[in-house]
Amino acid sequence: MAPKISEHYQNREPSAIRKAQILFDTGVTAAKSPEELAKEQAKKDFEATVARFKKISDSFNAEIMATIKRQRDARMRRIDIDFERRITDLERREAEQRKSAIKAFERFVSRYPYDDEYSPQAMFRLAELYFEEAKYDYNEADEEFSRQLELFEAKKIGKEPDAPTLDLSLTIKLYETILKRFPKFERNDGVQYLLAFCLEETGEFERSLSNYEQLVAKFPESNFVPEVWLRIGENHFTEDRLCEALDAYRRVLNFKESGWLDKA
């Protein structure tokens, strides 16, 4: 079993700062300061963290697919209960690994919040992890809500349960930080798209529309543009702004090779 990312990140002794100080004091390198050496070590830790989490994630996905295949092949043997148990166990393990990864990325971002090369990459991945965690929490809460609602409708409990809400505030805040702090980050079209998408998911439609419009204005060559024009059109159509909706749909037609053409 692959070691947890948090253990990999935490168990490096002596610390990066101490390692750099030892090298500096012994004269192994006079060209770099302890802070520079510590920063290089932290970057290596970051890269190792990314690689390890990807390996864990790939392993999880492979195991999910293998379990699904086994369930499909054995459907006639009535193993549905066992399948559900296996999926639940896998999801629980992934959740634990995700929490460890979140802590590792949070430490890196806290230590190096303004590194032009590594910080936006770390923030981008951390925002994805926050999104996955929020969706996981929401699904758990929604299942509990369904159970409580059944009890309420059967008059077994007196108070109607409150429906859960999807909280993407941490993800949204990180995407906004990346765009503001690192305007030259090469993946900012994706950041702008995901920010707009998250705002749309949480019902903030006007802010979402504003970010979609910023994307097509700032990144006209982005692969996201055809889909974004379609989303802009749908937003205007929903709000009965028919002229604006028609204009947006027509812009999708300019991208004849796009998979979104037949949806305009």
Side-chain angles (χ1 to χ4, degrees), residues 138-228:
Y138 173 80
N139 290 337
E140 290 279 293
D142 191 54
E143 289 181 6
E144 178 61 23
F145 168 73
S146 297
R147 287 192 289 268
Q148 293 297 313
L149 186 61
E150 287 181 4
L151 293 174
F152 174 76
E153 291 174 344
K155 302 187 184 303
K156 294 183 179 180
I157 59 175
K159 185 178 182 300
E160 182 175 1
D162 295 325
T165 57
L166 179 61
D167 182 7
L168 297 178
S169 57
L170 292 176
T171 299
I172 289 170
K173 183 178 179 180
L174 261 185
Y175 286 145
E176 290 175 333
T177 299
I178 294 172
L179 291 171
K180 181 178 180 180
R181 190 176 297 174
F182 304 102
K184 296 182 180 179
F185 180 43
E186 61 183 7
R187 302 177 70 180
N188 269 349
D189 62 330
V191 175
Q192 193 91 56
Y193 171 84
L194 290 168
L195 172 58
F197 175 81
C198 288
L199 290 167
E200 188 175 3
E201 283 283 282
T202 55
E204 297 190 56
F205 299 114
E206 289 304 315
R207 287 182 64 195
S208 173
L209 176 61
S210 174
N211 277 276
Y212 281 138
E213 290 174 337
Q214 289 178 54
L215 189 153
V216 296
K218 293 193 298 185
F219 308 102
E221 304 300 320
S222 170
N223 291 332
F224 291 104
V225 168
E227 179 190 351
V228 168

Side-chain angles (χ1 to χ4, degrees), residues 206-257:
E206 289 304 315
R207 287 182 64 195
S208 173
L209 176 61
S210 174
N211 277 276
Y212 281 138
E213 290 174 337
Q214 289 178 54
L215 189 153
V216 296
K218 293 193 298 185
F219 308 102
E221 304 300 320
S222 170
N223 291 332
F224 291 104
V225 168
E227 179 190 351
V228 168
W229 275 121
L230 184 65
R231 288 183 177 274
I232 290 173
E234 290 173 344
N235 187 292
H236 285 309
F237 184 81
T238 301
E239 297 298 322
D240 290 328
R241 297 187 289 260
L242 301 185
C243 290
E244 291 88 342
L246 182 60
D247 177 66
Y249 290 142
R250 281 174 174 166
R251 291 177 184 269
V252 181
L253 300 179
N254 293 329
F255 301 89
K256 300 188 184 303
E257 302 301 320

Side-chain angles (χ1 to χ4, degrees), residues 86-178:
R86 289 172 180 269
I87 290 295
T88 300
D89 182 59
L90 288 170
E91 288 177 341
R92 187 183 303 111
R93 284 161 49 194
E94 188 200 27
E96 292 172 356
Q97 292 161 356
R98 182 171 54 245
K99 289 181 184 297
S100 296
I102 285 173
K103 291 179 181 179
F105 279 102
E106 285 177 336
R107 285 195 297 273
F108 183 89
V109 169
S110 176
R111 185 179 297 179
Y112 299 106
Y114 294 100
D115 185 276
D116 289 335
E117 182 179 0
Y118 284 92
S119 295
Q121 296 180 42
M123 289 180 178
F124 186 83
R125 184 60 185 130
L126 181 57
E128 290 182 313
L129 291 168
Y130 281 152
F131 180 87
E132 293 169 8
E133 185 76 358
K135 292 288 283 188
Y136 178 83
D137 290 343
Y138 173 80
N139 290 337
E140 290 279 293
D142 191 54
E143 289 181 6
E144 178 61 23
F145 168 73
S146 297
R147 287 192 289 268
Q148 293 297 313
L149 186 61
E150 287 181 4
L151 293 174
F152 174 76
E153 291 174 344
K155 302 187 184 303
K156 294 183 179 180
I157 59 175
K159 185 178 182 300
E160 182 175 1
D162 295 325
T165 57
L166 179 61
D167 182 7
L168 297 178
S169 57
L170 292 176
T171 299
I172 289 170
K173 183 178 179 180
L174 261 185
Y175 286 145
E176 290 175 333
T177 299
I178 294 172

